[in-house]
Amino acid sequence: MSSQSWELKGDDTLLGVVTLTEIDQPWFRCEFALSKGWEQVEHLFQAQATAVDSGDQQRMSEAIGAVRNLQLKLHPSDGGEAITPIMIHIRGRKANFRY
């Protein structure tokens, strides 16, 4: 199986590249390589990780919503149709998403 990867974009800004390492339904587990645009959204992903770690349902809902409001798209490196993740978590070099 060839390695599957997607360019993570917000509008036309490349935020990074996610490369599939494992499918753990419903999650796609990936490695994350950041790009120049990452610094624009990194704080939202850090807030999401902190909220998830806290276990506070209200904070988690708000943080997940803030990331979802970015309307990110995953564009397959093979040129296939872009997908919209319903949830995406990025911590350091690890990314998990579901769609």
Side-chain angles (χ1 to χ4, degrees):
M1 175 174 120
S2 64
S3 145
Q4 190 170 2
S5 64
W6 298 264
E7 289 186 341
L8 177 64
K9 292 184 176 182
D11 297 318
D12 288 327
T13 303
L14 178 62
L15 305 175
V17 175
V18 295
T19 303
L20 185 65
T21 57
E22 173 186 16
I23 297 175
D24 180 17
Q25 286 293 355
W27 293 98
F28 289 73
R29 312 276 184 208
C30 303
E31 292 291 326
F32 178 69
L34 63 91
S35 293
K36 195 179 219 176
W38 176 244
E39 62 195 29
Q40 299 170 26
V41 298
E42 181 178 17
H43 67 283
L44 294 174
F45 284 93
Q46 288 175 341
Q48 182 183 57
T50 300
V52 167
D53 291 346
S54 78
D56 181 323
Q57 294 296 318
Q58 182 65 32
R59 281 180 64 197
M60 286 192 314
S61 178
E62 290 170 4
I64 290 168
V67 169
R68 189 173 288 145
N69 287 341
L70 294 172
Q71 299 180 334
L72 302 175
K73 298 269 188 201
L74 291 162
H75 298 267
S77 56
D78 66 8
E81 189 174 335
I83 57 175
T84 303
I86 59 169
M87 290 185 87
I88 184 165
H89 302 277
I90 298 173
R91 291 177 187 239
R93 297 210 7 96
K94 299 288 182 197
N96 300 307
F97 72 90
R98 55 191 288 192
Y99 69 100

